[in-house]
Amino acid sequence: MDLQIALLLGQDGITNGAIYALLALALVLVFAVTRVIFIPQGEFVAFGALTLASFQAGKTPGTLWLLIGAGVVVALVDITQALRSGALRRIPRIVGWNLVYPAAAAATVFLLKPGEFPLVGQIVLALVLVVPLGPMMYRLAFQPLAEASVLVLLIVAVAVHLALVGLGLLFFGAEGSRTPSFSDASFNLGLVTVSGQTVWVVSASLLLIVVLFVFFERTIYGKALRATAMNRTGARLMGISTVMAGKLSFLLAALIGAFSGILIAPITTVYYDTGFLIGLKGFVGAIVGGLTSYPVAAAGAILVGLLEAFSSFWASAFKEVIVFTLIIPVLVWRSLTTRHVEEDE
Amino acid sequence: MARRLLLAGFLGLLLISPLVASEFHITLLNYIGLYAIVALGLVLLTGVGGLTSFGQAAFVGLGAYTTAYLSTAQGLPGWASMLGGSPWLGLLAGLLVTGLVAYLLGLLTLRLSGHYLPLGTIAWGISLYFLFGNLEFLGGHTGMSGIPALSLFGVELRDGRKFYYMVWATVLGAVWLTQNLLNSREGRAIRALKGGVVMAEAMGVDTARSKVVIFLIAALFACVSGWLYAHLQRFVNPTPFGLHIGIEYLFMAVVGGAAHVWGALIGAGVITVLKQWLQDWLPKLLGASGNFEMIVFGVMMIFVLQRARDGLWPILTRFVPLSDAKREVPIGDALPKKPVPESGKVLLEARNVFKRFGGLVANNNMCLSVKAGEVMALIGPNGAGKSTMFNCVSGVDSASEGEVLFRGEAVTNLNSRQIARLGMSRTFQHVRLLPTMTVLENVAIGGHLRGSQGVLSAMLHLERGEEARLLAEAARQVERVGLRDSMFDLAGSLALGQQRTLEIARALCADPCLLLLDEPAAGLRYMEKQALAELLRKLRGEGMGILLVEHDMDFVMGLADRVVVMEFGEKIAEGLPDEVQRDPVVLEAYLGGVD
Amino acid sequence: MTQVKTVLEVEDLCVSYGKVEALHRVSVKVGEGQIVTVIGPNGAGKTTMLCSIMGLLPHSRGAIRFLGDELGQAEVEQMVALGITLVPESRALFGEMSVGDNLLLGAFMRHRAGHRDHERSMEDVFQIFPRLKERRAQHAGTLSGGERQMLALARALMAKPKLLLLDEPSLGLAPLIVKEIFRVIADLKKRGVSILLVEQNARAALQVADYAYVLETGEVALEGASEQLIDDPKVVESYLGLGGRK
């Protein structure tokens, strides 16, 4: 290997690593706030990318049907509950978010021909369709189990993942899609040429990280989420409801996931089940951070990206084996550094 | 009786079905059997032990690939060639390889709490899957064919109908082994893993070892299933060993009823039949081909966990009346007892114990001693540091400074398991029982250290003599504390007072010379307190030393021989109950005041 | 009781943990601008009562009325929105956040309701607890025990509650700090906050309270005006267990 190849691989690694870092942040967030190990994160990646690809191919993305279907179910469940507890004033809100919003999204898709939108418009519309699935998923799958153990929540997360992969296959078929690059520019930096898409991915990731940082450090809702993660009872006593915090964190995770998918769609061909492996690589990063530390998780994720890039050069058939075996020494290291607190519930 | 009839009916059906069923149904039953073996391991691991693995399919793969390789490989090096050819050696080698891999993985991930293990299993599940698919000598993604059929007593098991008996004999064997294990001393230790780790350690159970044991058993069951699969199918490729199949195995265990041995069979049956049916119908319904049964399984799983977390088995058993077979008080010879120290001899001595948490000093220069045949009470207002002291003495925590001696031996840095072995036994402030086990079984956990038979002899039921003695001893202790009438009730169904008494019986079952009681009277009614005091007086009369941590002054004053009062981590008074009660410093500590 | 408006009325409250009944038909009343204390030995059910009023624990029987309205099994968030705030025994601070952020979150419910006056409330709170102002940027986890209790109280005040539920505010604190905490509690009463105070420190609680209940094994054993109870030998008995030994 010479320096030029090393730089090229490094560039690859950092591009993927930036995506993994975003996903790792979302995983840490969701786990801290809801104790859910968010296995379905990868499906948001795939849904984001494939929804955008559908627009570009002039097709109606299946995620629209999922949004409408999930909205109807959530509305049914919530309205039943509101009627039972006599909280009628909640109903307009429930109808608005779960029925009117998806209907409006459907109207946009059918009446306005998103295939002719500029790229930014298509991206926004893809996010509009995919992101609300996050809080809806929380409502249907996780909210009824908010008091369950981490283990039960994990099994539910795996079940949700399985269902979504199946739906992804149904909606988008078994063929993969690749979207055109955001930019065709490339920059010559001496030994190595940096592609425009790489610059896009890295800078968009950085921007999103900064936005998240500002959200958590400067806004009262961001602080409320952190408070829930630190002390659930304390947060409830301030009036920060666990349900609101859960939905908000799932919303953010879905946003991060779908956006990551849109960022990588021009780099790799995305299939209905691609998201899972991408999400898991974010996981390896998140575990490096012990599922608690944001910066360490992000650094771990970049490391995973680099490891993947370099092992694909040396032993490309064993790329996945190497990346996922990395988790073992990481777990050992964590087991030696974290003081083991007996979990006895 | 009803259950026996059902079991006999089930076995009869199993026996005759190859004679009547179609080829298709035999194949289906064979697969149900293969899956049930894996799910059974998960029942032990997840339902009973509270650990979860999504990676069982990888262990199945290890079993299948080991035998596939060894029974087809040509030109093995000399030392290994004798292994080649025979499926039985393939089984042995598979068990060895799987055992080794599982042991290493378990050693690495079981130390970590809760969710790291399942995450680890996801990762290695994927790793092994890709490894199977990328190793040339294992045939890559195309797999390996030409695996020989099994021969048993000269009969070659070439078709599914013949293989059927092999599969189901293995299933029933695995069920028998698992049930034997669960109904033994080791089994009780395993059942304590879910929600009773602290308690079990205090009773001398090495819980880390128990975790590794069930992890190994689950992996070995998976390996056996893989071995059978390879010789049934006579062909292996990586597909059936991927992560999604690993997830399906877990679903089988959860849907069937993860805490019940028969739940594994129900789960394997339901999921396999449903999968077959959905794979036929869904593509027609949806007009596309693919594994759409995943959607149904995912949704079904969410629904099961939200609405019936214990799975189908408990729902089914509701329709069958409980049998009363196991209601006889166990009889057996006495277990050997430790010599009782003579009355008045110092048993426990804490010298200048300090305990710091960061900057906070929870125990400041604490000294106390307990003699054989006396009740010593440690009292003080809330937050005075009594529990911390209690933990330092019992080995749950260790003192930052100072010395704790038990029967003249330094125990300052021993853990609770080692201290239990020396003859100190305890109860807990917040009752720590296993609510789904009977009173008798809960008490028998206390006698863990008085037995020595291991996992293997338990699985093969070679330890029945010792088991009878242990249960008889537990029964004696249950009677001693006056719980005879509820001996076979579930511990969770008892009232709080009885639960506290049960904790004392459990502690007594360890044959201790010193009993540590953490607020035994909290939450008890007047009559219950009287009965408890009576019991403790009786024990004191028999030469037992008792250290009592209590808030209830009333209870303490009528019972204790000596009292130590703590406040702000320090000893503020010591003496006879009457002296302490009149002490103005104590009065101040209890009632508080601002001036 | 005197003719003041009743803020909180708890009637025949029963709470069970599984088969164990922790509270049995407990009735307690708090009048507007009053400090009412519930004292009693450990394990009597005092914390259970507060948690149940706040909606953290469901009750099996009985009624809870706030300003005359029956609440049923309300959620914690609803109670906060109504103007009830609980300072739990554990303080439940956000340890890795600054004192200022902890206080800000105290006003979370008001923020959601559209009030944007947290700066002013914070200044008010700093007047009561000047020490917190100095420590505004410090992490809550680094505060001393007394400061933590003050922050917990201050954070609760940020919600401008009509009724404050305090669980053992003096627990684990040195006598001098206890004195200051009780000074603040007496001060809050002057500002018109109604307070239900649960305490083990019976003497201090009785000195600041208007009315008191003694809770013993889940039932109200004794009640009366504080000045009457303060010298009642039965209180001493209940604590020191002298009752059982004549």
Side-chain angles (χ1 to χ4, degrees):
Chain A
M1 180 194 299
D2 60 21
L3 184 61
Q4 193 167 3
I5 295 177
L7 284 174
L8 211 64
L9 292 175
Q11 185 190 329
D12 260 14
I14 288 178
T15 316
N16 287 332
I19 299 288
Y20 301 154
L22 278 181
L23 299 177
L25 295 183
L27 294 167
V28 172
L29 166 71
V30 169
F31 181 72
V33 175
T34 63
R35 299 178 305 128
V36 173
I37 295 180
F38 197 43
I39 304 282
Q41 171 77 295
E43 277 59 66
F44 284 101
V45 175
F47 284 3
L50 294 172
T51 304
L52 180 66
S54 294
F55 285 144
Q56 289 174 348
K59 289 190 244 172
T60 306
T63 34
L64 175 65
W65 308 119
L66 186 57
L67 179 68
I68 293 171
V72 169
V73 179
V74 172
L76 282 177
V77 173
D78 273 350
I79 290 174
T80 319
Q81 206 172 49
L83 287 177
R84 242 182 236 162
S85 62
L88 297 179
R89 61 198 162 74
R90 287 190 194 159
I91 290 180
R93 222 181 128 82
I94 297 170
V95 170
W97 277 113
N98 299 300
L99 300 175
V100 178
Y101 174 92
T108 315
V109 170
F110 285 119
L111 300 177
L112 295 182
K113 292 200 176 59
E116 293 156 18
F117 282 12
L119 183 64
V120 182
Q122 290 174 336
I123 291 177
V124 170
L125 193 55
L127 294 177
V128 161
L129 291 191
V130 176
V131 175
L133 293 174
M136 287 175 179
M137 176 201 291
Y138 178 79
R139 173 65 191 90
L140 294 176
F142 297 100
Q143 189 181 315
L145 290 165
E147 302 303 319
S149 68
V150 173
L151 217 58
V152 169
L153 292 173
L154 171 61
I155 299 176
V156 172
V158 168
V160 172
H161 150 73
L162 212 60
L164 286 185
V165 171
L167 287 169
L169 176 62
L170 180 64
F171 294 149
F172 301 106
E175 312 85 48
S177 301
R178 193 183 268 237
T179 58
S181 253
F182 294 179
S183 105
D184 297 324
S186 62
F187 309 92
N188 222 324
L189 300 176
L191 271 172
V192 69
T193 311
V194 178
S195 77
Q197 189 63 27
T198 299
V199 177
W200 259 104
V201 170
V202 173
S203 43
S205 307
L206 280 178
L207 183 72
L208 196 50
I209 289 173
V210 170
V211 168
L212 285 174
F213 180 81
V214 171
F215 172 73
F216 284 119
E217 292 294 324
R218 297 276 178 270
T219 69
I220 193 165
Y221 279 90
K223 287 173 185 174
L225 273 190
R226 280 170 58 215
T228 303
M230 279 175 216
N231 189 324
R232 197 178 302 265
T233 309
R236 290 190 71 191
L237 291 174
M238 302 300 106
I240 304 165
S241 96
T242 314
V243 170
M244 185 212 75
K247 283 186 180 164
L248 189 54
S249 61
F250 269 64
L251 181 93
L252 285 173
L255 173 69
I256 293 171
F259 191 66
S260 306
I262 289 167
L263 283 179
I264 51 154
I267 305 174
T268 49
T269 309
V270 177
Y271 299 88
Y272 73 99
D273 61 351
T274 307
F276 182 54
L277 282 188
I278 298 178
L280 279 187
K281 284 169 193 164
F283 244 116
V284 179
I287 289 172
V288 173
L291 287 174
T292 50
S293 162
Y294 292 94
V296 181
I302 305 261
L303 186 74
V304 171
L306 287 170
L307 183 78
E308 182 188 31
F310 281 89
S311 53
S312 71
F313 176 77
W314 274 308
S316 85
F318 296 99
K319 184 179 85 173
E320 314 290 0
V321 180
I322 292 173
V323 170
F324 288 109
T325 312
L326 172 73
I327 202 174
I328 304 278
V330 167
L331 286 175
V332 173
W333 169 64
R334 285 236 70 95
S335 80
L336 294 177
T337 50
T338 42
R339 212 183 139 268
H340 182 52
V341 184
E342 195 57 64
E343 200 180 355
D344 206 44
E345 258 335 300
Chain B
M1 264 343 266
R3 292 197 176 202
R4 297 222 155 171
L5 276 176
L6 277 180
L7 182 63
F10 171 70
L11 291 180
L13 264 181
L14 271 186
L15 204 66
I16 58 159
S17 43
L19 308 174
V20 291
S22 71
E23 200 64 40
F24 170 76
H25 285 113
I26 291 294
T27 310
L28 205 59
L29 279 172
N30 278 342
Y31 278 99
I32 291 175
L34 291 179
Y35 297 153
I37 299 171
V38 186
L40 195 59
L42 280 173
V43 162
L44 191 61
L45 190 66
T46 305
V48 179
L51 306 168
T52 297
S53 164
F54 293 102
Q56 292 310 97
F59 291 133
V60 179
L62 275 181
Y65 266 104
T66 310
T67 194
Y69 177 71
L70 287 176
S71 56
T72 59
Q74 307 291 320
L76 286 172
W79 58 267
S81 63
M82 56 173 294
L83 282 176
S86 164
W88 299 101
L89 285 170
L91 173 62
L92 202 67
L95 289 174
L96 277 175
V97 170
T98 310
L100 194 70
V101 172
Y103 182 68
L104 284 176
L105 287 173
L107 222 54
L108 294 177
T109 39
L110 290 172
R111 297 174 40 120
L112 290 163
S113 59
H115 46 274
Y116 283 107
L117 173 72
L119 287 180
T121 64
I122 290 179
W124 90 61
I126 294 178
S127 279
L128 279 174
Y129 170 75
F130 280 107
L131 204 60
F132 293 141
N134 283 303
L135 290 176
E136 279 307 313
F137 71 95
L138 294 182
H141 283 285
T142 43
M144 304 167 82
S145 53
I147 301 168
L150 279 183
S151 298
L152 201 62
F153 308 118
V155 182
E156 216 175 43
L157 307 177
R158 274 197 171 274
D159 64 45
R161 225 171 266 276
K162 284 180 185 146
F163 209 87
Y164 171 91
Y165 288 109
M166 179 76 197
V167 169
W168 281 93
T170 314
V171 173
L172 294 177
V175 167
W176 183 71
L177 290 175
T178 312
Q179 264 183 340
N180 284 355
L181 177 62
L182 288 177
N183 288 316
S184 74
R185 165 178 167 272
E186 288 283 356
R188 284 185 292 272
I190 289 167
R191 284 149 83 186
L193 289 178
K194 199 171 170 183
V197 170
V198 172
M199 179 274 291
E201 285 277 329
M203 298 301 134
V205 176
D206 186 345
T207 53
R209 180 179 157 276
S210 292
K211 283 183 187 174
V212 173
V213 163
I214 53 172
F215 190 65
L216 267 178
I217 293 175
L220 293 177
F221 278 1
C223 165
V224 169
S225 169
W227 174 74
L228 286 168
Y229 172 85
H231 292 288
L232 170 66
Q233 199 75 1
R234 321 265 303 277
F235 163 77
V236 291
N237 73 349
T239 319
F241 314 125
L243 184 64
H244 278 153
I245 309 295
I247 293 171
E248 247 168 54
Y249 284 130
L250 187 68
F251 282 9
M252 288 176 194
V254 173
V255 168
H260 306 273
V261 170
W262 296 106
L265 270 69
I266 301 272
V270 168
I271 296 273
T272 312
V273 171
L274 198 63
K275 185 173 178 177
Q276 189 64 41
W277 190 72
L278 290 171
Q279 275 178 343
D280 281 350
W281 283 98
L282 280 182
K284 286 180 201 158
L285 207 67
L286 298 170
S289 61
N291 304 327
F292 298 122
E293 75 277 2
M294 284 196 283
I295 307 173
V296 179
F297 284 172
V299 173
M300 183 172 86
M301 197 61 195
I302 298 167
F303 203 74
V304 165
L305 286 170
Q306 285 183 359
R307 293 296 161 92
R309 207 174 296 173
D310 298 327
L312 293 175
W313 181 252
I315 298 175
L316 294 176
T317 49
R318 249 182 253 158
F319 299 106
V320 182
L322 266 170
S323 59
D324 285 330
K326 284 216 153 185
R327 292 229 154 212
E328 280 161 40
V329 177
I331 303 163
D333 300 335
L335 289 167
K337 283 177 72 89
K338 293 193 201 82
V340 180
E342 66 184 89
S343 209
K345 198 175 163 206
V346 175
L347 292 173
L348 179 77
E349 200 176 359
R351 291 182 188 155
N352 312 95
V353 167
F354 288 80
K355 180 69 193 174
R356 302 185 188 87
F357 297 105
L360 190 86
V361 184
N363 281 164
N364 192 356
N365 204 11
M366 277 296 298
C367 300
L368 61 83
S369 68
V370 187
K371 301 191 192 86
E374 79 162 353
V375 175
M376 158 80 181
L378 181 60
I379 64 170
N382 208 354
K386 302 185 299 292
S387 292
T388 311
M389 187 67 199
F390 198 90
N391 286 342
C392 287
V393 170
S394 60
V396 168
D397 212 334
S398 57
S400 318
E401 208 180 299
E403 207 180 6
V404 182
L405 298 174
F406 181 55
R407 305 179 78 180
E409 221 175 302
V411 296
T412 323
N413 293 314
L414 297 190
N415 60 32
S416 52
R417 217 171 342 126
Q418 293 160 319
I419 290 182
R421 200 171 275 282
L422 294 173
M424 193 191 297
S425 199
R426 65 170 293 182
T427 67
F428 294 89
Q429 182 184 352
H430 301 287
V431 180
R432 288 179 189 266
L433 297 170
L434 300 169
T436 56
M437 280 163 68
T438 64
V439 169
L440 184 70
E441 286 175 307
N442 266 287
V443 173
I445 293 177
H448 188 82
L449 288 174
R450 299 172 78 181
S452 59
Q453 295 282 338
V455 175
L456 262 183
S457 55
M459 289 181 97
L460 297 170
H461 258 192
L462 301 175
E463 36 59 283
R464 288 294 100 180
E466 180 188 282
E467 176 72 3
R469 286 195 292 279
L470 264 175
L471 286 180
E473 170 70 12
R476 272 193 288 278
Q477 300 302 343
V478 171
E479 284 173 12
R480 188 178 185 186
V481 300
L483 284 177
R484 194 197 159 106
D485 292 340
S486 1
M487 194 178 287
F488 300 101
D489 295 344
L490 296 186
S493 71
L494 299 186
L496 180 66
Q498 290 173 309
Q499 294 191 349
R500 290 207 181 276
T501 320
L502 166 54
E503 286 227 324
I504 294 174
R506 185 179 64 202
L508 289 175
C509 196
D511 183 26
C513 60
L514 176 67
L515 209 49
L516 303 188
L517 306 178
D518 199 349
E519 299 201 20
L524 297 198
R525 307 203 175 283
Y526 183 73
M527 292 304 286
E528 293 172 328
K529 281 182 198 170
Q530 295 287 319
L532 176 63
E534 199 45 53
L535 173 66
L536 296 184
R537 278 193 201 102
K538 201 170 90 187
L539 292 174
R540 170 174 63 189
E542 291 166 17
M544 183 86 69
I546 298 173
L547 173 62
L548 194 68
V549 167
E550 239 333 315
H551 274 118
D552 190 332
M553 291 278 269
D554 201 0
F555 180 72
V556 166
M557 292 307 164
L559 181 68
D561 299 298
R562 286 188 305 135
V563 179
V564 166
V565 189
M566 282 184 83
E567 199 193 10
F568 293 120
E570 291 178 48
K571 180 154 78 179
I572 57 167
E574 178 169 7
L576 300 172
D578 279 331
E579 295 167 17
V580 166
Q581 209 168 14
R582 314 276 166 224
D583 191 329
V585 183
V586 176
L587 219 65
E588 184 72 7
Y590 260 77
L591 284 174
V594 281
D595 40 14
Chain C
M1 225 187 259
T2 40
Q3 296 305 308
V4 287
K5 197 170 131 198
T6 305
V7 176
L8 177 78
E9 191 179 359
V10 176
E11 201 182 312
D12 280 346
L13 191 70
C14 300
V15 178
S16 303
Y17 295 102
K19 286 199 160 183
V20 186
E21 197 174 47
L23 284 187
H24 182 67
R25 303 190 66 157
V26 170
S27 299
V28 167
K29 248 188 206 180
V30 182
E32 191 168 34
Q34 274 189 330
I35 299 182
V36 173
T37 186
V38 175
I39 57 176
N42 207 280
K46 305 188 298 290
T47 298
T48 304
M49 186 190 82
L50 284 191
C51 287
S52 174
I53 293 174
M54 197 61 201
L56 284 167
L57 278 178
H59 52 268
S60 50
R61 262 191 68 181
I64 298 169
R65 284 182 214 102
F66 182 65
L67 296 170
D69 295 327
E70 175 100 32
L71 294 179
Q73 303 275 8
E75 290 282 318
V76 182
E77 296 78 20
Q78 270 171 274
M79 305 300 282
V80 178
L82 285 173
I84 307 179
T85 305
L86 167 68
V87 180
E89 191 186 309
S90 66
R91 322 311 194 219
L93 296 176
F94 309 122
E96 288 141 70
M97 269 197 229
S98 69
V99 168
D101 281 351
N102 268 278
L103 290 175
L104 176 67
L105 286 171
F108 182 81
M109 205 33 128
R110 285 182 64 76
H111 183 93
R112 273 201 95 172
H115 300 281
R116 293 291 180 274
D117 55 355
H118 62 86
E119 288 295 334
R120 271 249 324 274
S121 323
M122 214 179 284
E123 283 311 315
D124 290 347
V125 165
F126 283 147
Q127 281 194 342
I128 307 174
F129 303 99
R131 191 122 48 117
L132 292 180
K133 190 169 189 175
E134 297 163 25
R135 308 227 184 272
R136 188 174 182 165
Q138 211 171 312
H139 274 192
T142 64
L143 299 180
S144 72
E147 287 166 343
R148 282 182 204 202
Q149 182 57 60
M150 286 176 197
L151 177 56
L153 269 171
R155 188 180 63 173
L157 291 178
M158 287 293 290
K160 296 194 189 286
K162 299 191 182 90
L163 173 67
L164 198 56
L165 309 178
L166 301 179
D167 195 0
E168 307 255 3
S170 77
L171 183 75
L173 300 182
L176 216 66
I177 315 277
V178 174
K179 203 165 175 174
E180 189 167 344
I181 295 282
F182 277 100
R183 182 187 60 72
V184 170
I185 292 173
D187 199 43
L188 289 178
K189 180 191 165 177
K190 285 182 205 139
R191 291 168 181 252
V193 185
S194 315
I195 298 173
L196 181 58
L197 169 67
V198 155
E199 258 299 340
Q200 269 233 91
N201 192 333
R203 283 187 184 150
L206 289 172
Q207 277 169 9
V208 292
D210 300 290
Y211 198 80
Y213 297 84
V214 179
L215 213 58
E216 230 178 303
T217 52
E219 293 180 64
V220 174
L222 205 61
E223 65 176 288
S226 315
E227 52 267 29
Q228 285 164 7
L229 286 189
I230 206 160
D231 296 317
D232 194 322
K234 284 194 200 132
V235 175
V236 180
E237 272 173 27
S238 149
Y239 272 70
L240 287 185
L242 293 166
R245 287 162 52 84
K246 295 291 173 301

